[in-house]
């Protein structure tokens, strides 16, 4: 019988031999994974539990909040609140971070998450997901501050996502490669299904919302036109896929090869996507999988967020296309 390497065993095996591995990190990662299993169940039953649809409220991003957004956000906060190793939580759905009950002064870790990315797709059954990143505090013994969350993404010690699609997958990295796990509902465990994920070096997919073209600045248009012209063998078989759910677009491009770009434009001059909750964790993942992530001018992981809800242009995927985008940013007027 093929070995069922569960996520919990994988985390344990990955930590063995790490100096000072106290099990705290394993406990933290297991709690995050369990929280995503609960959200997965809520998403799967959304229509039956009558939790689809809008609440009529808007969040700190000014976006309409769906009932599942709230449920996912509360689920993650409840399930991470009683971990002594976690000091504070920051959510894309909340204005400010929240100290945990159990670890608010002694906890070494900080967790930031987008509880349900792509939630505008919930009512039409398109894949959505949870994105998270974990930081380690330098100083413990005092409550967390917002500044503790605002280091460059290069300081993140773990990043990952759960994607709620035809199956639920959990994909994560602790800085030594990327591994993907598929939820076996019969067992209730994530089982290793995509070991050592490396993004194929081919631009099989271009993911951009071309309806926004009139809002794009000149370098973005020049970049897109370069690929769409198909003058290079590399782009002869490139196709377009954009489903308005970053985590699902990212996951597909990670497996098939490709590039996702959500540029700053005349309507969103700072960009739409969130640096802390979306760009940084996905940037760590894609770099660990051999790709790259940039805001068009610099590496995403080098940017220090100015605040919890800082936004950024996100160009993420094959290194060749990220560098091509940066070339157009350098050589074309806005
Ligand atoms: P647009 C979802 O709201 C999201 O934050 C990402 O998941 C997605 O990639 C993007 O916005 C879609 O934005 O403007 O193309 O609808």
């Amino acid at each position: 019988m093929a070995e069922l390497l569960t996520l919990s065993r994988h985390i344990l095996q990955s930590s063995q031999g790490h100096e000072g591995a106290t099990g705290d990190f394993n406990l933290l990662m297991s709690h995050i994974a369990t929280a995503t299993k609960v959200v997965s169940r809520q998403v799967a039953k959304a229509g039956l539990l009558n939790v689809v649809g809008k609440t009529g409220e808007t969040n700190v991003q000014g976006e309409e909040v769906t009932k599942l957004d709230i449920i996912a956000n509360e689920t993650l906060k409840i399930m991470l609140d009683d971990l002594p190793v976690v000091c504070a939580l920051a959510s894309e759905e909340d204005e400010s971070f929240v100290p945990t009950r159990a670890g608010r002064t002694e906890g070494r870790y900080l967790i930031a998450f987008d509880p349900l990315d792509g939630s505008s797709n919930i009512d039409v059954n398109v894949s959505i997901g949870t994105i998270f990143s974990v930081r380690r505090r330098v100083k413990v013994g005092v409550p967390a501050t917002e500044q503790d969350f605002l280091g460059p993404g290069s300081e993140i010690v773990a990043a990952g996502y759960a994607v709620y699609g035809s199956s639920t997958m959990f994909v994560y990295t602790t800085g030594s490669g990327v591994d993907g796990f598929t939820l076996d509902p019969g067992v209730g465990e994530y089982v290793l299904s995509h070991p050592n994920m490396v993004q194929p070096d081919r631009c099989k997919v271009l993911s951009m919302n071309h309806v926004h073209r009139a809002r794009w600045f000149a370098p973005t248009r020049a970049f897109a036109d370069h690929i769409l012209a198909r003058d290079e063998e590399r782009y002869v078989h490139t196709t377009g896929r954009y489903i308005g759910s970053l985590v699902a677009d990212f996951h597909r491009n990670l497996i098939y090869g490709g590039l996702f770009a959500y540029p700053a434009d005349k309507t969103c001059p700072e960009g739409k996507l969130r640096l802390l909750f979306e760009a940084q964790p996905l940037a760590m993942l894609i770099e660990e999988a051999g790709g790259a992530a940039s805001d068009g001018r610099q590496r995403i992981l080098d940017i220090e967020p100015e605040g919890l809800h800082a936004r950024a242009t996100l160009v993420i995927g094959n290194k060749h296309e990220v560098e091509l985008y940066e070339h157009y940013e350098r050589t074309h007027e806005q």
Side-chain angles (χ1 to χ4, degrees):
M1 174 176 139
E3 184 197 18
L4 288 184
L5 185 57
T6 60
L7 175 61
S8 41
R9 287 181 59 214
H10 187 270
I11 293 168
L12 195 59
Q13 288 177 7
S14 305
S15 66
Q16 278 157 2
H18 276 207
E19 282 179 41
T22 63
D24 288 353
F25 184 72
N26 302 352
L27 187 65
L28 178 156
M29 287 301 295
S30 296
H31 267 62
I32 293 175
T34 301
T36 65
K37 291 185 213 173
V38 175
V39 173
S40 172
R41 181 179 174 279
Q42 291 161 342
V43 168
K45 291 180 179 288
L48 302 175
L49 297 179
N50 188 29
V51 289
V52 295
K54 311 287 185 206
T55 60
E57 298 163 12
T58 56
N59 64 13
V60 65
Q61 317 293 345
E63 296 167 338
E64 278 189 308
V65 176
T66 63
K67 294 175 187 172
L68 263 179
D69 277 329
I70 291 177
I71 291 172
N73 196 33
E74 294 311 311
T75 298
L76 283 152
K77 289 194 285 189
I78 288 165
M79 296 194 71
L80 298 172
D81 190 44
D82 58 1
L83 274 177
V85 298
V86 178
C87 173
L89 307 171
S91 168
E92 183 195 298
E93 291 294 328
D94 296 337
E95 177 74 31
S96 59
F97 74 91
V98 176
T100 64
R101 178 186 53 76
R104 60 183 53 223
T105 54
E106 298 306 322
R108 286 195 298 156
Y109 294 102
L110 303 163
I111 305 175
F113 52 81
D114 178 354
L116 210 54
D117 174 70
S119 55
S120 57
N121 290 300
I122 288 172
D123 296 0
V124 292
N125 213 23
V126 167
S127 299
I128 51 183
T130 300
I131 308 172
F132 69 89
S133 60
V134 181
R135 292 168 185 276
R136 187 182 291 121
R137 284 203 304 171
V138 176
K139 184 178 179 186
V140 296
V142 292
T145 65
E146 181 171 299
Q147 194 58 36
D148 290 335
F149 285 94
L150 302 184
S154 52
E155 293 177 355
I156 291 172
V157 294
Y161 59 84
V163 54
Y164 312 115
S166 50
S167 63
T168 291
M169 278 195 68
F170 187 89
V171 177
Y172 87 105
T173 181
T174 57
S176 306
V178 178
D179 293 293
F181 299 77
T182 299
L183 183 61
D184 178 339
V187 179
E189 283 280 2
Y190 282 114
V191 179
L192 183 65
S193 54
H194 296 65
N196 189 29
M197 297 177 82
V198 175
Q199 186 185 35
D201 181 18
R202 61 181 183 196
C203 189
K204 186 172 175 65
V205 179
L206 177 64
S207 303
M208 298 177 78
N209 187 341
H210 295 274
V211 173
H212 291 342
R213 183 184 172 87
R215 299 170 12 187
W216 291 346
F217 295 119
T220 303
R221 290 199 301 274
F223 166 78
D225 293 346
H226 181 116
I227 293 178
L228 298 181
R230 291 192 160 156
D231 291 343
E232 293 179 52
E233 173 59 30
R234 185 175 173 87
Y235 303 125
V236 167
H237 300 295
T238 300
T239 188
R241 291 284 186 278
Y242 185 87
I243 63 172
S245 184
L246 169 60
V247 68
D249 279 322
F250 175 88
H251 184 69
R252 180 200 54 245
N253 294 356
L254 171 61
I255 292 173
Y256 284 168
L259 184 101
F260 173 99
Y262 200 113
D265 59 32
K266 295 163 190 167
T267 307
C268 307
E270 300 300 316
K272 174 182 182 183
L273 300 179
R274 272 62 64 161
L275 179 54
L276 197 78
F277 300 110
E278 294 167 322
Q280 284 185 337
L282 297 183
M284 181 179 182
L285 283 160
I286 201 67
E287 288 198 3
E288 284 294 321
S294 165
D295 70 350
R297 296 176 187 279
Q298 61 185 313
R299 184 172 170 249
I300 287 289
L301 294 183
D302 291 339
I303 305 172
E304 295 198 18
E306 291 177 4
L308 281 184
H309 297 288
R311 297 175 184 258
T313 284
L314 180 60
V315 182
I316 188 166
N318 293 118
K319 196 172 287 187
H320 184 88
E321 279 65 46
V322 171
E323 290 170 353
L324 180 68
Y325 191 100
E326 291 176 334
H327 161 76
Y328 279 109
E329 276 290 327
R330 282 193 304 272
T331 57
H332 278 58
E333 292 301 314
Q334 285 295 347

